[in-house]
Amino acid sequence: MAALANRIHRVMHASRPELTPASVEVNAHEAIGRALDADAETARRAAEQVAGRRVLTLSRSGTVLDALRRADPAPTVVVAESRPGREGIGVAEALAGAELEVSVVPDAALAATLADASIDAVLVGADTVRPSGAVVNKVGTRGAALAAAHEDVPFYAACATDKIAVEDEPAREEADPRTVYEGPAALTVSAPRFDETPAALVTGGIITDRGVQPPDGVAALADELASLRDWS
């Protein structure tokens, strides 16, 4: 995740030139407050995009969950199960607890759901956004974006600006292979946690605390974040 590195660099940049422990501590507390405010503002802006609409989401994003709960009028939500991990089940339960109309579908049914269920928008979170505008998120996001593009359904990713990476680095992480297969056969099992959705598929835009950004506008924000690294 890019957010941690960006926020550390932001604190250290603000603590120049002395870089004393006291100044770092003060700026760290301020950065925590800014981060919470950025998440809340991102959720507010995302809520505006999905209010009263039929929305599909997957995985678990605190920002997306907050947006769906605060949207007024309330959206109708379809949640992908989100294997491996099945985080979507917890999201669906939380939304149902907030009295939203919610349904759950298996990941394999995402394309059919987008074709048949009158979905108005896809809204997901992001673990990282590349300078190119590509979105790294839970595996299955790319497939949902491809299906959304085919059905002409806008695809949004929501995240605070600090989740924008300043460099393109691979995001490869494997889940426990037993989440896919535990049988006796000698199989090679792949259980990726993340995939990367190309910028061209993020058709609705990237919703941030600084507004809805077109994917090709992310590079300028990445440059801004990169400038924070000159503290050292």
Side-chain angles (χ1 to χ4, degrees), residues 75-152:
T76 300
V77 186
V78 179
V79 185
E81 186 182 12
S82 311
R83 288 182 177 269
R86 302 183 75 225
E87 299 93 343
I89 300 301
V91 170
E93 290 174 339
L95 293 172
E99 300 185 349
L100 272 71
E101 182 180 338
V102 187
S103 57
V104 177
V105 298
D107 296 353
L110 281 177
T113 300
L114 279 158
D116 300 335
S118 301
I119 301 296
D120 298 311
V122 177
L123 175 65
V124 300
D127 286 273
T128 295
V129 176
R130 304 285 193 214
S132 65
V135 172
V136 178
N137 196 49
K138 178 68 184 285
V139 67
T141 302
R142 183 178 182 133
L146 282 164
H150 186 271
E151 304 301 334
D152 200 25

Side-chain angles (χ1 to χ4, degrees), residues 7-60:
R7 286 168 178 165
I8 290 173
H9 287 299
R10 190 183 296 281
V11 169
M12 300 305 287
H13 189 273
S15 302
R16 297 182 308 167
E18 295 85 359
L19 292 176
T20 63
S23 66
V24 171
E25 181 180 12
V26 168
N27 286 308
H29 283 290
E30 290 183 357
I32 291 169
R34 283 196 303 269
L36 293 171
D37 289 344
D39 288 343
E41 179 62 13
T42 303
R44 185 191 69 79
R45 292 177 183 272
E48 292 176 347
Q49 299 296 326
V50 300
R53 306 177 80 183
R54 185 168 175 82
V55 183
L56 185 145
T57 189
L58 59 83
S59 190
R60 182 182 182 90

